[in-house]
Amino acid sequence: LDDEDTDRVYDLVEGLHPADIADLFELFDERERLTLAGAIRDLMGSEVIAELNDWVREALMEALPADVVAEIAEQLDTDDAVAMLEDLDEADQQAVLAEMEPEDRAAIESALSYPEESAGRLMSRELVAVHESMTVGDLIDFLREHRELPTEFWEVFIVDPMHRPIGTCSLSWILRTPRNIPLYDVMARDQTLIPADMDQEEVALRFQKYALISAAVVDPAGRLIGQITVDDIVHIIQEEAGEDALLLSGAGDGDINEPILLTVRARLTWLVVNLATAMLAASVVGLFQGAIAKFALLAVLMPIVSGMGGNAGTQTLAVAVRAIATNQLTDSNTVRMILREFRIALANGFALGLLIGVGTWLIFSNPLLGAVIASAMVINNLVAGLMGILVPVTLDKFNVDPAVSSAVFVTTATDTMGFFSFLGLAVVVGLA
Amino acid sequence: LDDEDTDRVYDLVEGLHPADIADLFELFDERERLTLAGAIRDLMGSEVIAELNDWVREALMEALPADVVAEIAEQLDTDDAVAMLEDLDEADQQAVLAEMEPEDRAAIESALSYPEESAGRLMSRELVAVHESMTVGDLIDFLREHRELPTEFWEVFIVDPMHRPIGTCSLSWILRTPRNIPLYDVMARDQTLIPADMDQEEVALRFQKYALISAAVVDPAGRLIGQITVDDIVHIIQEEAGEDALLLSGAGDGDINEPILLTVRARLTWLVVNLATAMLAASVVGLFQGAIAKFALLAVLMPIVSGMGGNAGTQTLAVAVRAIATNQLTDSNTVRMILREFRIALANGFALGLLIGVGTWLIFSNPLLGAVIASAMVINNLVAGLMGILVPVTLDKFNVDPAVSSAVFVTTATDTMGFFSFLGLAVVVGLA
């Protein structure tokens, strides 16, 4: 690629799967990506575009004229076209839509009218829906005759005259059933219907829980308007589940293809909030400056108490956030989980307190100092365990995403209480 | 349930989906679970058992006699039966296997011979494989006649006489093709084959990347021995992607149904390792006891420098671990990513340094102290950014899971360098 040996690049790329070509793009930097796109122009089919990382795709799309983007969008399924266009800014989006065929444009505009990250954006309008009066034979003939139907589908939806879904038929049942049997004898009547405005995280949990391959999306009147298939959901599950670690650390969406200025802004915002809480914790230490000046060893040991509290709090927090995200922690078992974390914190606090207490006593030949740090360790572990679960549960009650904002509260608590309990106890027992 | 009103409980539960019954179990504590299991004995079908959380299921299975467990295992697909039996201890497992039909036993024993978390454990042996000489019509007749075939499948595998997969046929293509067309004209020849010993995380990435619904599992000789379907993979993706936040925090597998003693042990191990590194950082502070005794304000400010470094390091780490887990960070873009993190760290370091430096100067009317803390902040942010990416990349090179052990190294570096740079600079410029 560096030598601009276009033919050789083309030959190398030609045999690859679209998903692999998309990956290849992500490995290069921005300048090289444009060169590569130029070299393999006619291999850049809609499948490759659909597989690209959001940021990489957005940058490529912005470099292309609106009519080319419109042409690509028309080749894609509605859901992929929406994913591509929703990232563009308003003006570019309008320019592209203006270049599209009226029918495709209407489908995309209607999808864009649903909130971001909702089922309405995810769904594809291409589906097979038939009436229950059909027999298996009718259905097979219908499928063979209608060439315009989608090529890949896994279930057929059965609808009533109002176009409301009343059942689904897995293709394997259809294949195994004699031609003369009516579909209403084959179809499954209980199905998971997805309202178009349902959040994608909730959709993903449904797919996972009920092991769905595809599901009908309905409008508020209960009419079938689209389907969501599991291959689209797999990406969502990956994203939503992996997001927690990034959100807990304040790393924004953590995408390594995000423009660097956006990354700096996202991370810096979080760091500045943490700076404020660090200063709060420091002001607690400030209260004890006199004691520290008299007995500087306190300053040496105090970060151990606060740091260990922070670690224990982070553990509890990670578990609680995950349990809330997967609907495992709900109102009915919150009290049990709080008690569970309390017992764990007590056990860990005593074990760590004993270890550091005896260690301090032996190293500095000061049993009183050992007792103080051991007690502070127990107290701070309890603070960590309780805050680690109470903060995310409370935030969740107020509909705030616990992964985004819990960590600040928990580390503020463990830092300030760590310093306060250790230095306070030291002063009370007369160590300084 | 508390009133032991069995009939009412039964009526309430009867209409639920198996996955919902499984969820219901997880909401109760251990004693209540057994009562519930007693009350709804005949609703406890194999689907419910398969949906239960690992720990809850293990506890229930251990309370049941081996022949009842064997009976449940025989009703399950191989993959679900394996998932159920692999958690039991060796003796119980043997007892259950001894009670099973020879054929089912052989299938499960062969699955258990593959490593844990490998494709061989995940795959189901129930699949439809036919020869390429068949026509679409032959296949449909074959499926209608053979009642013992699995009821739900999404693709038909085409094999050669050696039983090696040579193509796959999506059911929708079969339904849409006239009866007289041979399968070799319909099937897709390029398919993703999964070796039986492939790690489940890698399998999940393949499914996600190529948007697979099912895939053929092959033995080392290339023969088709099973299939993995996307509904099994969805759980793996959830687990593997969500695991990072738990592993980074040292919270073990973070399952809220895990027996409490195992949880305490997992978390305590991590905390003790961190205690050692906290003591290492404390010993750095110990070097400067004299300076702190003279100028106690240093002890007040030093946790800000170390803490902010820790936060920045955790951000970079979360991003790097995620990028490695999703194969976005590979050899070919490592250098670019290190430079990216370096630039982010520099930008954040200067911004935070300026903020805290000017703040310190104004609050304590001490410009020199402001300059020292600002410089220490820049240095520690660079340490955080570089260690945050270099540690996980290096561990990954040595085939150590970066999510498990990176955090200890990174926080040790940011703590010690935070204290050392701030206190060291303060001494060098003559503040104490």
Side-chain angles (χ1 to χ4, degrees):
Chain A
L1 200 63
D2 283 336
D3 304 342
E4 309 206 341
D5 187 349
T6 317
D7 291 343
R8 216 174 111 66
V9 171
Y10 189 95
D11 290 344
L12 284 172
V13 174
E14 200 176 1
L16 295 177
H17 187 283
D20 291 313
I21 301 183
D23 276 3
L24 192 64
F25 264 95
E26 290 165 26
L27 295 182
F28 288 109
D29 69 23
E30 270 174 66
R31 203 179 34 77
E32 294 167 321
R33 280 173 198 156
L34 287 175
T35 321
L36 178 61
I40 58 166
R41 204 177 302 265
D42 60 325
L43 295 178
M44 295 289 294
S46 51
E47 293 96 345
V48 177
I49 306 281
E51 291 289 337
L52 281 177
N53 171 283
D54 288 356
W55 294 108
V56 177
R57 185 173 53 211
E58 190 180 334
L60 265 184
M61 290 302 112
E62 278 168 1
L64 291 173
D67 59 325
V68 179
V69 178
E71 210 173 292
I72 295 169
E74 282 174 0
Q75 286 170 46
L76 295 172
D77 280 346
T78 356
D79 54 335
D80 291 328
V82 169
M84 184 175 97
L85 294 180
E86 70 186 356
D87 294 333
L88 296 179
D89 58 44
E90 190 70 21
D92 288 344
Q93 206 178 76
Q94 290 307 327
V96 173
L97 284 170
E99 295 285 340
M100 291 181 72
E101 299 289 328
E103 199 183 319
D104 292 324
R105 182 169 64 220
I108 287 175
E109 279 175 345
S110 124
L112 286 174
S113 71
Y114 292 103
E116 268 187 66
E117 311 213 323
S118 70
R121 294 253 178 139
L122 274 182
M123 73 184 182
S124 152
R125 270 133 220 281
E126 291 84 15
L127 56 82
V128 179
V130 295
H131 288 272
E132 58 174 333
S133 54
M134 264 192 177
T135 65
V136 168
D138 295 341
L139 175 62
I140 294 179
D141 294 339
F142 172 81
L143 291 174
R144 286 193 185 139
E145 278 156 27
H146 287 74
R147 294 281 100 194
E148 80 287 2
L149 290 172
T151 46
E152 295 248 11
F153 53 96
W154 315 102
E155 284 175 312
V156 169
F157 298 99
I158 321 292
V159 291
D160 69 9
M162 304 287 290
H163 214 68
R164 286 180 302 219
I166 52 171
T168 57
C169 229
S170 166
L171 298 190
S172 56
W173 307 339
I174 296 170
L175 273 171
R176 307 197 53 195
T177 308
R179 288 183 67 93
N180 59 335
I181 307 284
L183 287 178
Y184 61 76
D185 280 349
V186 191
M187 71 184 189
R189 271 159 215 283
D190 56 331
Q191 60 175 322
T192 308
L193 296 178
I194 309 280
D197 57 359
M198 184 183 263
D199 185 78
Q200 63 176 21
E201 189 167 5
E202 191 57 37
V203 177
L205 285 173
R206 296 278 171 101
F207 264 78
Q208 196 199 343
K209 184 166 174 187
Y210 300 117
L212 304 176
I213 295 294
S214 55
V217 180
V218 291
D219 68 11
R223 282 185 304 258
L224 178 66
I225 53 170
Q227 71 166 333
I228 294 179
T229 50
V230 69
D231 51 313
D232 299 318
I233 289 301
V234 161
H235 286 270
I236 311 286
I237 292 177
Q238 249 272 13
E239 270 172 40
E240 298 278 347
E243 204 175 64
D244 285 356
L246 296 166
L247 290 176
L248 276 173
S249 75
D253 83 351
D255 191 320
I256 59 170
N257 294 298
E258 185 180 45
I260 198 161
L261 275 177
L262 291 182
T263 307
V264 169
R265 197 172 63 186
R267 294 204 204 167
L268 194 54
T269 310
W270 173 261
L271 291 174
V272 169
V273 173
N274 276 274
L275 183 59
T277 74
M279 287 170 71
L280 187 70
S283 70
V284 172
V285 181
L287 300 175
F288 298 93
Q289 270 190 78
I292 290 171
K294 267 190 265 172
F295 192 34
L297 190 53
L298 294 179
V300 175
L301 298 176
M302 68 179 195
I304 299 181
V305 180
S306 64
M308 293 307 293
N311 288 330
T314 308
Q315 289 183 332
T316 310
L317 192 53
V319 172
V321 164
R322 187 92 192 104
I324 291 172
T326 54
N327 282 348
Q328 285 193 289
L329 179 56
T330 59
D331 282 351
S332 58
N333 60 355
T334 297
V335 174
R336 185 154 56 89
M337 283 306 133
I338 293 172
L339 286 176
R340 184 173 192 270
E341 288 301 332
F342 180 80
R343 290 162 62 200
I344 294 171
L346 207 61
N348 284 344
F350 271 105
L352 292 171
L354 195 69
L355 214 58
I356 188 77
V358 172
T360 303
W361 173 14
L362 295 179
I363 294 169
F364 303 105
S365 316
N366 189 336
L368 194 56
L369 187 61
V372 165
I373 197 169
S375 315
M377 198 69 113
V378 174
I379 294 172
N380 208 24
N381 257 280
L382 287 178
V383 169
L386 289 176
M387 290 297 281
I389 184 141
L390 289 175
V391 168
V393 164
T394 310
L395 289 175
D396 186 50
K397 271 250 172 344
F398 289 105
N399 287 320
V400 179
D401 183 349
V404 178
S405 26
S406 294
V408 176
F409 293 104
V410 174
T411 53
T412 305
T414 55
D415 276 358
T416 52
M417 279 308 296
F419 293 139
F420 188 77
S421 58
F422 176 62
L423 298 173
L425 280 174
V427 169
V428 167
V429 300
L431 274 169
Chain B
L1 198 62
D2 282 336
D3 304 341
E4 308 205 344
D5 187 349
T6 317
D7 291 343
R8 218 174 108 69
V9 171
Y10 189 95
D11 290 344
L12 285 173
V13 173
E14 202 178 359
L16 295 178
H17 187 283
D20 291 314
I21 301 182
D23 276 3
L24 191 64
F25 264 95
E26 289 164 28
L27 295 182
F28 288 109
D29 70 23
E30 270 172 65
R31 203 178 35 77
E32 293 167 322
R33 280 174 199 156
L34 288 175
T35 320
L36 178 61
I40 58 165
R41 204 177 302 265
D42 60 326
L43 295 178
M44 294 288 295
S46 51
E47 292 96 345
V48 177
I49 305 282
E51 291 289 338
L52 281 177
N53 171 281
D54 289 356
W55 293 106
V56 177
R57 185 173 55 211
E58 190 181 333
L60 265 184
M61 290 300 113
E62 277 168 2
L64 291 173
D67 59 324
V68 179
V69 178
E71 209 174 291
I72 295 169
E74 282 174 359
Q75 287 171 45
L76 295 171
D77 280 345
T78 356
D79 54 334
D80 289 330
V82 168
M84 184 175 97
L85 293 180
E86 69 186 356
D87 293 335
L88 297 180
D89 59 44
E90 190 70 20
D92 288 344
Q93 205 177 78
Q94 289 307 325
V96 172
L97 284 170
E99 295 284 343
M100 291 181 72
E101 299 289 330
E103 200 183 317
D104 292 325
R105 183 170 63 220
I108 287 175
E109 279 174 346
S110 122
L112 287 174
S113 71
Y114 292 104
E116 268 188 65
E117 312 213 322
S118 70
R121 294 253 177 141
L122 273 182
M123 72 183 182
S124 153
R125 270 133 221 281
E126 290 85 14
L127 56 83
V128 179
V130 295
H131 289 273
E132 59 173 330
S133 53
M134 266 192 174
T135 65
V136 168
D138 294 341
L139 175 63
I140 294 179
D141 295 339
F142 171 83
L143 291 174
R144 286 193 184 139
E145 278 156 27
H146 287 73
R147 293 281 100 193
E148 79 287 0
L149 290 171
T151 45
E152 294 250 10
F153 53 95
W154 315 102
E155 284 174 312
V156 169
F157 298 99
I158 320 293
V159 290
D160 69 9
M162 306 286 289
H163 214 69
R164 287 179 302 219
I166 52 170
T168 57
C169 227
S170 166
L171 297 190
S172 55
W173 307 339
I174 295 170
L175 273 171
R176 306 195 54 194
T177 309
R179 288 184 66 93
N180 59 334
I181 307 284
L183 289 178
Y184 61 76
D185 280 349
V186 191
M187 72 185 189
R189 272 158 214 283
D190 56 330
Q191 61 174 322
T192 309
L193 298 178
I194 310 279
D197 57 357
M198 184 183 263
D199 184 79
Q200 64 176 19
E201 189 168 5
E202 190 57 37
V203 177
L205 284 174
R206 295 277 174 102
F207 264 77
Q208 196 200 341
K209 185 168 173 187
Y210 300 118
L212 304 177
I213 295 293
S214 54
V217 180
V218 291
D219 67 12
R223 282 185 304 257
L224 178 66
I225 53 171
Q227 71 165 334
I228 295 180
T229 50
V230 69
D231 51 316
D232 300 317
I233 288 301
V234 161
H235 287 270
I236 310 284
I237 292 177
Q238 250 271 12
E239 271 171 42
E240 298 278 346
E243 206 174 65
D244 285 355
L246 297 165
L247 291 176
L248 277 173
S249 75
D253 82 350
D255 191 320
I256 60 170
N257 294 297
E258 185 180 45
I260 198 161
L261 277 177
L262 290 181
T263 306
V264 169
R265 199 173 61 186
R267 294 204 205 167
L268 194 54
T269 310
W270 174 262
L271 291 174
V272 169
V273 172
N274 276 274
L275 182 59
T277 73
M279 287 169 70
L280 187 70
S283 70
V284 171
V285 181
L287 299 176
F288 298 94
Q289 270 189 77
I292 290 171
K294 267 190 265 173
F295 192 34
L297 190 54
L298 294 180
V300 176
L301 297 176
M302 68 179 195
I304 299 181
V305 180
S306 65
M308 292 308 292
N311 287 331
T314 307
Q315 289 183 333
T316 310
L317 192 52
V319 172
V321 163
R322 186 93 193 102
I324 291 172
T326 53
N327 283 347
Q328 284 192 289
L329 180 55
T330 59
D331 282 351
S332 58
N333 61 356
T334 298
V335 173
R336 185 154 57 90
M337 284 306 133
I338 293 172
L339 286 176
R340 182 172 193 271
E341 288 302 332
F342 180 81
R343 288 163 63 199
I344 295 172
L346 207 61
N348 284 344
F350 272 106
L352 292 171
L354 195 69
L355 214 57
I356 187 78
V358 172
T360 305
W361 172 15
L362 295 179
I363 295 170
F364 303 104
S365 314
N366 189 337
L368 193 55
L369 186 61
V372 165
I373 197 169
S375 314
M377 198 69 114
V378 174
I379 294 172
N380 208 24
N381 257 280
L382 288 178
V383 169
L386 289 176
M387 290 297 280
I389 184 141
L390 289 175
V391 168
V393 164
T394 310
L395 289 175
D396 186 51
K397 273 252 174 338
F398 290 105
N399 286 319
V400 179
D401 183 350
V404 177
S405 25
S406 294
V408 177
F409 294 104
V410 175
T411 53
T412 305
T414 53
D415 276 359
T416 52
M417 279 309 296
F419 293 140
F420 188 77
S421 59
F422 177 60
L423 298 173
L425 280 174
V427 169
V428 167
V429 301
L431 274 171

